[in-house]
């Protein structure tokens, strides 16, 4: 949903990286040249280097304090699929075969580097086979609460553990968020079918070979040049089969309660919607990890603040960073006008799009003319104004953000609905409603779901008025805390959510990480669904498959065409391309914005004072 994110394999991958990183986000204090739209002197949207707050020298020890509005969705890395998890718990407690560079260079941050593996994957000539070798000395740490698991904690991670991590993505008890990224492994769909009814695991994925404890080989049914990206996702981190399989054999996996740490920290305490405490993993070794440090004695994360309180606690130095809160509205204006505050805000483009989705399974949105009418009717400009205006982002005109090679249609180059100002075109929308057979409007009740955090309720009221103007006038608006509206409604097709405000951030720096989870028919899941419009269009599915296997300029053209086609289907009203507004305290040391994580690279930061 998240987020969710080569370098030297193909010309296409290199070009994707350059484009994704160039707009990935920028930094903070020290160093001029910020454009007039910046929040503070260290914020430069066009920068290539992330400035560093608090100096590069880090004091060993201390507690870093985080504040947030909401919680993560899950703590099992296979089930977790929110930005909040990827950028915090996942980044600090889970290692995978590859990860992202801990560089202050914004471009380098979006490149894959080895993590548990000795090197990036070795691909065959047509990118249908990828081989990795595990480092020596990588071990499992404690489970939640610091519990040592006999025969697991302190023991070496093996290739079989990587294989099992992928296999459990296809087990219904786990509720994995993104198995669709791995269905092209040979034997994966057969394994999924064999295990669709739950219970004890049946068989294995034939396309994952483990010739020895150090080597894992992925055999694919089609070419994928981005496999190193996929191997950096938290769900691919090793899971000890002998410990986890009995838990996964249950109706609902018990591994969710007590995942094993492999990163520099483990979860010492977790009270849902209240608190996380992370502590150093004694079984992690700096000698095996080039991308993370273990400077902190503890991370204390408190949840449940409202947005303004969350931000203010960071600005007043009571907390050191915000997980999911950023200044908006009047508070944002105060930040802009206060020198100390604006020098502690990281600001830059994020690879995210904010949108209103329409379910193609709910009337009247099963009709493309109605969906196109809604796209024309929505006042995008007002939705951004309610968030705080241009400082929070630009008006979106297509589903892919400008950070991707697949977006050749941004801004005035491609505006299929409305206009470049983002103001509604009601007459055009009414004409489309009439063409769809709804000249008198649609008056049936429609379930609308989204975040209860301000200003989303106000955005829904803006949407209510926009839709009323074209005759859609019976909205049942339900708002819940994040991530409850995802886990309890939006991600469950059986709930019949007709409309919802959501945002999507890259899982990895390629258009595939937007297009596949949001629009591929194979991404529709009974639980943890990310294809919110429930679009299952054979022509879209086929075009996705073609684009995934293409390289170079051909692939770039394929993704551009898909972006245009999907936008014109009207299943989303894209309204915002994001800019970050990330506050930190003046206690942080070596704090730099990481454009992949869209957060400070906290595992490499410290606290002083």
């Amino acid at each position: 949903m998240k987020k969710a994110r080569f370098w030297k394999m193909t010309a296409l991958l290199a070009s994707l990286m350059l484009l994704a990183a160039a707009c990935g986000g920028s930094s903070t204090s020290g160093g001029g040249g910020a454009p007039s739209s910046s929040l503070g002197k260290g914020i430069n949207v066009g920068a290539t280097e992330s400035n560093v707050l608090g100096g590069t020298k880090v004091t060993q020890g201390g507690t870093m304090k985080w504040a947030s509005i909401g919680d993560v969705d899950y703590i099992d890395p296979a089930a977790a699929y929110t930005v909040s998890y990827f950028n915090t718990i996942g980044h600090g407690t889970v290692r995978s075969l590859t990860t992202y560079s801990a560089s202050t260079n914004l471009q380098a941050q979006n490149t894959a580097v080895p993590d548990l593996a000795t090197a990036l994957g070795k691909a065959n000539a047509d990118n249908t086979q990828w081989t990795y070798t595990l480092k020596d000395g990588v071990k499992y740490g404690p489970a939640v609460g610091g519990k040592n698991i006999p025969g697991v904690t302190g023991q070496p991670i093996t290739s079989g553990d990587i294989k099992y991590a992928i296999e459990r993505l296809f087990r219904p008890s786990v509720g994995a968020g993104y198995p669709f990224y791995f269905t092209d492994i040979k034997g994966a769909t057969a394994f999924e079918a064999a295990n669709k009814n739950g219970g004890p695991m049946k068989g294995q994925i034939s396309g994952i070979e483990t010739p020895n404890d150090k080597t894992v080989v992925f055999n694919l049914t089609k070419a994928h040049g981005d496999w190193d990206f996929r191997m950096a996702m938290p769900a691919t981190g090793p899971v000890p089969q002998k410990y986890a399989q009995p838990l996964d054999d249950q109706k609902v996996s018990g591994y969710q309660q007590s995942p094993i740490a492999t990163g520099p920290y483990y979860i010492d305490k977790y009270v849902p919607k209240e608190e996380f405490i992370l502590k150093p993993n004694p079984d992690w070794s700096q000698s095996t990890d080039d991308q993370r440090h273990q400077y902190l004695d503890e991370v204390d994360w408190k949840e449940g603040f409202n947005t303004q309180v969350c931000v203010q606690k960071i600005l007043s130095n009571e907390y050191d960073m915000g997980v999911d809160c950023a200044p908006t509205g009047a508070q944002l204006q105060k930040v802009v006008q206060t020198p100390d505050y604006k020098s502690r805000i990281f600001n830059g483009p994020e690879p995210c799009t904010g949108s209103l989705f329409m379910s193609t399974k709910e009337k009247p949105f099963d009709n493309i003319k109605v969906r196109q009418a809604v796209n024309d009717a929505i006042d995008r400009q007002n939705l951004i104004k309610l968030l705080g205006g241009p400082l929070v982002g630009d008006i979106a005109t297509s589903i892919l953000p400008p950070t991707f090679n697949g977006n050749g249609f941004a801004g005035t180059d491609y505006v299929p609905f409305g206009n470049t100002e983002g103001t509604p075109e009601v007459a055009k929308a009414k004409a489309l409603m009439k063409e769809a057979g709804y000249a008198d409007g649609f008056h049936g009740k429609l379930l609308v779901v989204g975040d209860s955090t301000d200003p989303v309720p106000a955005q829904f009221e803006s949407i209510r008025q926009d839709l009323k103007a074209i005759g859609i006038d019976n909205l049942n608006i339900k708002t819940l805390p994040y991530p409850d509206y995802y886990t309890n409604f939006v991600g469950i097709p059986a709930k019949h959510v007709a409309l919802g405000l959501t945002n999507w951030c890259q899982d990895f720096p390629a258009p595939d990480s937007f297009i596949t989870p949001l629009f591929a028919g194979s991404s529709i899941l009974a639980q943890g669904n990310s294809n919110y419009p429930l679009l299952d269009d054979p022509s879209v599915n086929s075009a996705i498959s073609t684009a995934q296997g293409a390289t170079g300029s051909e692939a770039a053209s394929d993704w551009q065409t898909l972006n245009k086609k999907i936008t014109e289907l009207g299943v989303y009203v894209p309204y915002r391309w994001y800019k970050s507004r990330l506050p930190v305290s003046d206690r942080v040391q070596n704090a730099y914005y990481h454009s992949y994580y869209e957060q400070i690279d906290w595992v490499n930061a410290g606290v002083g004072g």
Side-chain angles (χ1 to χ4, degrees), residues 226-306:
D226 59 5
W227 204 251
D228 277 332
F229 273 149
R230 298 174 191 236
M231 290 296 102
M233 301 184 79
T236 68
V239 175
Q241 184 169 1
K242 61 184 176 183
Y243 168 66
Q245 184 174 334
L247 300 175
D248 292 340
D249 286 345
Q250 300 170 7
K251 185 175 182 180
V252 176
S253 173
Y255 192 74
Q256 162 64 16
Q257 279 68 53
S258 200
I260 308 291
T262 52
Y265 297 91
Y266 70 89
I267 301 171
D268 183 61
K269 180 182 179 182
Y270 174 44
V271 180
K273 301 182 181 181
E274 293 184 16
E275 182 181 35
F276 268 107
I277 292 178
L278 306 182
K279 288 188 176 179
N281 175 3
D283 297 291
W284 171 86
S285 172
Q286 181 72 75
S287 65
T288 70
D289 196 337
D290 298 328
Q291 306 306 320
R292 304 173 188 82
H293 288 85
Q294 198 183 63
Y295 292 130
L296 304 169
D297 289 336
E298 183 172 302
V299 172
D300 189 353
W301 174 1
K302 292 292 195 299
E303 305 171 341
F305 299 107
N306 70 39

Side-chain angles (χ1 to χ4, degrees), residues 2 72-82 85-86 175-178 234-235 256:
K2 65 204 148 226
V72 301
D73 49 352
Y74 302 100
I75 61 172
D76 180 343
Y81 200 16
T82 56
Y85 177 88
F86 270 49
Y178 43 93
Q256 162 64 16

Side-chain angles (χ1 to χ4, degrees), residues 62-96:
T63 297
M64 183 179 284
K65 300 178 70 176
W66 302 347
S68 74
I69 304 164
D71 199 354
V72 301
D73 49 352
Y74 302 100
I75 61 172
D76 180 343
Y81 200 16
T82 56
V83 172
S84 295
Y85 177 88
F86 270 49
N87 302 352
T88 56
I89 304 303
H91 188 31
T93 69
V94 179
R95 296 183 67 181
S96 44

Side-chain angles (χ1 to χ4, degrees), residues 307-360:
T307 302
Q308 291 192 358
V309 171
C310 181
V311 171
Q312 186 56 44
K313 283 184 175 294
I314 300 159
L315 295 175
S316 64
N317 298 309
E318 186 177 345
Y319 287 80
D320 298 302
M321 106 179 180
V323 173
D324 60 2
C325 58
T328 60
Q331 189 177 50
L332 180 58
Q333 297 307 312
K334 182 177 180 180
V335 167
V336 171
Q337 296 164 12
T338 307
D340 177 56
Y341 290 169
K342 70 180 181 181
S343 68
R344 293 193 277 120
I345 297 285
F346 292 88
N347 182 243
E350 297 180 8
C352 306
T353 300
S355 304
L356 173 73
F357 76 82
M358 289 167 271
S359 173
T360 60

Side-chain angles (χ1 to χ4, degrees), residues 96-98 114-122 130-136 138 157-159 162 211-218 228:
S96 44
L97 289 172
T98 61
D115 189 0
L116 291 174
T118 58
L120 293 177
K122 181 179 179 181
W130 291 79
T131 302
Y132 298 85
T133 302
L134 289 172
K135 293 175 181 175
D136 294 328
V138 291
I157 294 167
T158 70
S159 57
I162 303 293
N212 55 58
D213 283 349
K214 292 284 188 176
T215 305
V216 58
V217 182
F218 296 94
D228 277 332

Side-chain angles (χ1 to χ4, degrees), residues 362-564:
E362 304 297 323
K363 288 186 176 300
F365 307 122
D366 56 343
N367 188 311
I368 187 173
K369 295 290 186 181
V370 173
R371 299 195 302 265
Q372 291 173 340
V374 171
N375 269 271
D376 280 319
I378 295 298
D379 190 340
R380 293 171 168 88
Q381 187 178 94
N382 194 50
L383 295 181
I384 290 182
K385 181 180 178 181
L386 289 167
L387 288 166
L391 287 170
V392 308
D394 298 320
I395 292 169
T397 60
S398 69
I399 196 64
L400 283 181
T403 51
F404 286 125
N405 196 20
N407 188 343
F409 314 102
T412 58
D413 294 332
Y414 178 65
V415 187
F417 303 109
N419 49 60
T420 56
E421 291 76 31
T423 53
E425 295 191 345
V426 178
K428 183 180 174 185
K430 284 184 174 180
L432 285 165
M433 289 291 289
K434 184 176 181 179
E435 288 179 38
Y438 294 102
D440 296 324
F442 179 84
H443 311 295
K445 183 174 287 189
L446 298 170
L447 177 60
V448 183
V449 177
D451 198 342
S452 59
T453 303
D454 289 335
V456 176
Q459 288 182 307
F460 274 138
E461 288 306 314
S462 178
I463 290 166
R464 186 198 297 275
Q465 296 306 313
D466 293 341
L467 295 185
K468 184 178 180 180
I470 63 170
I472 300 174
D473 57 7
N474 193 358
L475 305 187
N476 174 24
I477 297 175
K478 182 182 290 291
T479 60
L480 299 93
Y482 173 86
D484 292 359
Y485 60 94
Y486 280 111
T487 55
N488 297 337
F489 281 91
V490 173
I492 305 175
K495 295 288 187 176
H496 298 285
V497 178
L499 291 161
L501 276 175
T502 63
N503 61 74
W504 192 267
C505 300
Q506 66 179 22
D507 289 323
F508 47 81
D512 195 8
S513 75
F514 253 75
I515 299 295
T516 296
L518 292 179
F519 302 108
S522 60
S523 300
I524 298 173
L525 304 173
Q527 183 93 23
N529 174 56
S530 59
N531 183 338
Y532 308 127
L534 302 177
L535 181 69
D536 192 4
D537 184 310
S539 66
V540 170
N541 296 338
S542 176
I544 289 172
S545 181
T546 299
Q548 288 173 333
T551 58
S553 59
E554 181 183 354
S557 176
D558 286 347
W559 290 119
Q560 284 186 343
T561 301
L562 263 167
N563 181 46
K564 185 174 181 179

